[in-house]
Amino acid sequence: MNIVLLKVSFCIIMTIACYFVSLKIYNKYKKNWLNPLYTASVLLISLLLLFHVHEETYQQVNFIFNQLLQLAVVSLAVPLYKQWSFLKKNYKKIFIGVICGTALGVISIFSLSHLFHLNEQLLASLIPKSVTLPIALTIATDLGGLASTTIIFVIISALISVMIGPNLLKYLGIKSKSAKGLAMGTSAQMLGANRSLVWGEEEGAMGNVAMTTSALFLAIVVPIIPYLL
């Protein structure tokens, strides 16, 4: 029993340490591709392999972090509450922008899955790739997808969006603060919202609202998705 507790404690400390080391590196170099979400994962996997930590052992720790992740879902109501007056003032552009962005993401997944003949489980794992991770995991599980696969696609999708998005918006000549924030928040979730905040307060508010509302929109339409699979 003591050995099990020792291993679990070691995994928890190692996970938290990986995050803070990665956060320190990111704060020092300020590069999008060094975001702790990715570098901490790579560092953690390397350490798990180095110390020969079995998957079953880490799964016990993973349960704790999954519970914290569910609390994070509830906390998404906070940014919506803080931006409520802004949300009411700009609800039309937010509603149209978020729904179009989220719907196009789902349609592209369906189109590519048919093109490459992906099976239903992989398709279910891919569908929520463009929404914030806590809700993406819930949606993927409800649709019969694999949580681990969804995590990988959410991370890759956000990383590509935050690396390409700003230059693409600049190349297309999009200067609207609202449009830039909505685009980044819808496509790159929290990373996009944080990137939008660098541009300004309005862009950051839009990115934050887009991240939350796109996740809520996809969660609402989930019941009809199985009929499309």
Side-chain angles (χ1 to χ4, degrees), residues 57-91:
T57 302
Y58 193 78
Q59 283 292 342
Q60 298 176 40
V61 178
N62 193 36
F63 171 78
I64 297 172
F65 291 113
N66 278 337
Q67 297 304 309
L68 294 174
L69 200 58
Q70 292 179 25
L71 287 176
V73 175
V74 179
S75 70
L76 290 177
V78 176
L80 277 182
Y81 175 75
K82 286 184 176 179
Q83 303 295 337
W84 187 246
S85 58
F86 188 82
L87 194 65
K88 287 195 294 184
K89 184 180 177 182
N90 300 279
Y91 74 94

Side-chain angles (χ1 to χ4, degrees), residues 10 15 26 50 78 140 148-149 151 159 186-187 203:
F10 174 71
T15 302
Y26 175 74
L50 179 65
V78 176
S148 56
T149 306
I151 291 173
L159 180 60
T186 304
S187 61
E203 292 93 328

Side-chain angles (χ1 to χ4, degrees), residues 98-158:
V98 169
I99 288 183
C100 288
T102 308
L104 282 174
V106 175
I107 291 172
S108 67
I109 292 298
F110 272 101
S111 301
L112 291 173
S113 67
H114 285 295
L115 180 64
F116 293 105
H117 306 288
L118 302 182
N119 60 49
E120 290 187 0
Q121 189 177 47
L122 187 55
L123 174 59
S125 305
L126 274 168
I127 286 174
K129 69 166 185 57
S130 61
V131 300
T132 189
L133 188 57
I135 292 182
L137 286 175
T138 304
I139 293 174
T141 303
D142 290 345
L143 293 175
L146 292 172
S148 56
T149 306
T150 299
I151 291 173
I152 292 173
F153 285 123
V154 168
I155 290 175
I156 293 175
S157 173

